[in-house]
Amino acid sequence: MQPTLPATETTPLARFVRIAGEAPLPRRADRAAGGTLPTRAFRYCEAATSAAAFGWLVFPPIDLDLLWDGERVLWTWRGAGGWHPLSVAQAPGFRDRFDAAAPPALRGWSPPLLGALPEPGLVNLWSGLLAQSRPGWSLLVRTPANLPRIPGIELFEGLVEADAWFGPLFVNLRLTRTGVPICLRTDTPFLMVQPVPRAAHDDAALNGFAAEDGLAALTAEDWAAYDRAIVAPRRNGACPLGRHAAELRRRRRAA
């Protein structure tokens, strides 16, 4: 049976255990996206800053480079002394450390760091972390919100029901450049993990939506709401910068 966290409000939404690599531990994402958001967006765009701060940043487990020649994927790491064809690879030295610490029945079952997938240019990369979420919550694994992308890779997003599955936190990625090394460094986050209530991605919830067509679909209440949000603040040439952001902050403080 998989271990599960007790269903209490004091239980962390997510628990990360670093068992491989030398990267920093996951950290809470910040509203300035690591200082990369434009100052105007940071001051006035609550939507951008809230998205940037929603979750935890995860770093590559070791400094490594990937190279796709159009057919094969090669990889190297600090101290490797050259490029190596990628099939399935363990983190350097990790297999021995895992077997020395694991119960006898689990020796030989250390998770691989990297794996070349059957599809051209696709790679599976492990973060070096094990992850678990609070009962009733899932973990969305995705590209960090509002941070500059790492050149040469695209991430496949994954929604993991980690309250019932305790295992390696990994991601599948697509290499988008050939003949050019793609660098992942332990000081640059490559994943964002976001908590999502499982009820929010159940079919019952997602099937409960409305999609209407045309101006005739707008009710008197809709027009009034549009007026309050968009038109009224701009009447008589007024529209204070950051008004909406300030209102949202006041609402949060009041709550």
Side-chain angles (χ1 to χ4, degrees):
M1 179 180 296
Q2 297 287 354
T4 57
L5 295 169
T8 68
E9 289 301 315
T10 59
T11 300
L13 280 179
R15 174 181 175 233
F16 304 101
V17 183
R18 182 182 61 190
I19 64 171
E22 55 198 30
L25 290 170
R27 72 177 186 218
R28 171 72 195 278
D30 68 278
R31 295 172 62 83
T36 64
L37 273 185
T39 301
R40 193 157 62 92
F42 178 70
R43 290 185 63 185
Y44 304 127
C45 187
E46 191 69 13
T49 56
S50 295
F54 177 38
W56 306 280
L57 297 175
V58 174
F59 300 81
I62 62 173
D63 291 340
L64 63 94
D65 296 343
L66 298 169
L67 180 65
W68 182 35
D69 65 8
E71 295 182 1
R72 299 180 306 162
V73 176
L74 308 174
W75 83 296
T76 188
W77 63 97
R78 188 173 61 247
W83 291 92
H84 299 267
L86 178 61
S87 175
V88 177
Q90 292 274 329
F94 177 63
R95 188 195 304 271
D96 291 339
R97 293 194 299 273
F98 181 92
D99 288 349
L106 300 183
R107 292 169 188 168
W109 289 92
S110 57
L113 175 71
L114 281 167
L117 300 178
E119 297 79 5
L122 299 192
V123 173
N124 178 282
L125 174 59
W126 176 39
S127 64
L129 304 172
L130 303 180
Q132 193 173 44
S133 57
R134 181 188 294 175
W137 290 75
S138 300
L139 298 178
L140 175 61
V141 182
R142 52 157 298 181
T143 300
N146 296 335
L147 278 174
R149 301 294 190 260
I150 297 175
I153 62 172
E154 292 180 356
L155 271 57
F156 290 87
E157 297 191 5
L159 190 57
V160 185
E161 295 189 18
D163 58 342
W165 183 86
F166 179 63
L169 183 71
F170 65 88
V171 68
N172 295 321
L173 53 89
R174 176 187 290 113
L175 307 183
T176 61
R177 296 180 177 181
T178 58
V180 179
I182 297 164
C183 305
L184 292 99
R185 297 292 179 261
T186 56
D187 61 357
T188 303
F190 79 121
L191 293 181
M192 176 176 262
V193 179
Q194 297 176 323
V196 180
R198 192 163 62 243
H201 61 86
D202 284 344
D203 281 344
L206 294 175
N207 288 335
F209 74 103
E212 302 170 63
D213 182 37
L215 291 168
L218 297 178
T219 65
E221 289 79 8
D222 293 333
W223 285 115
Y226 182 84
D227 184 22
R228 288 192 301 272
I230 305 299
V231 179
R234 291 167 173 78
R235 285 195 176 97
N236 303 317
C239 184
L241 286 173
R243 178 192 60 83
H244 180 61
E247 289 178 356
L248 289 178
R249 291 167 189 153
R250 283 194 296 270
R251 184 173 71 178
R252 289 174 186 160
R253 286 194 295 268

